[in-house]
Amino acid sequence: MNRQCSKIGKCNLFSGELEIPEDSRIRYKYFYCLGEETCWSSCKRFIVKDEIGFCPDFVMPNSLLSSEQIMSRIRWAKVGN
Ligand code: SF4
């Protein structure tokens, strides 16, 4: 059993590239990224990356958006550009 998320090396949240408050990043890291498998496997960023191969920066680990809603936002953003 992994003691930390297998996506740590490729996650913009973990690497500090997302503009979020530092205290939020620390909470996410300790609760999700460095937690038990039941924690990181429930991270929405982990789930979305598993499903579609990447995770947009607007998705936080505790996001309540469904994968369909996230995909819809991605499509909308592409149309808007
Ligand atoms: S934010 Fe989620 S996907 Fe990223 S390293 Fe942490 S647990 Fe893994």
Side-chain angles (χ1 to χ4, degrees), residues 5 7-8 11 13-14 32-33 40 43 45-46 61:
C5 177
K7 303 188 188 311
I8 276 177
C11 180
L13 186 148
F14 192 87
Y32 290 96
C33 317
W40 53 258
C43 168
R45 293 184 59 80
F46 181 91

Side-chain angles (χ1 to χ4, degrees), residues 4-15 28-29 31-35 39-47 49 55 59-61:
Q4 62 183 32
C5 177
S6 58
K7 303 188 188 311
I8 276 177
K10 297 178 181 167
C11 180
N12 286 348
L13 186 148
F14 192 87
S15 63
Y28 288 142
K29 279 185 174 183
F31 183 78
Y32 290 96
C33 317
L34 303 174
C39 299
W40 53 258
S41 65
S42 69
C43 168
K44 184 61 86 173
R45 293 184 59 80
F46 181 91
I47 294 167
K49 189 162 178 128
C55 182
V59 178
M60 293 294 109

Side-chain angles (χ1 to χ4, degrees), residues 13 20-30 32 60-61:
L13 186 148
I20 60 173
E22 191 59 22
D23 59 334
S24 298
R25 183 188 329 281
I26 290 169
R27 273 200 298 272
Y28 288 142
K29 279 185 174 183
Y30 281 96
Y32 290 96
M60 293 294 109

Side-chain angles (χ1 to χ4, degrees), residues 55-71:
C55 182
D57 287 348
F58 67 82
V59 178
M60 293 294 109
N62 60 346
S63 173
L64 297 178
L65 294 173
S66 68
S67 296
E68 291 73 27
Q69 289 170 316
I70 291 167
M71 285 303 296

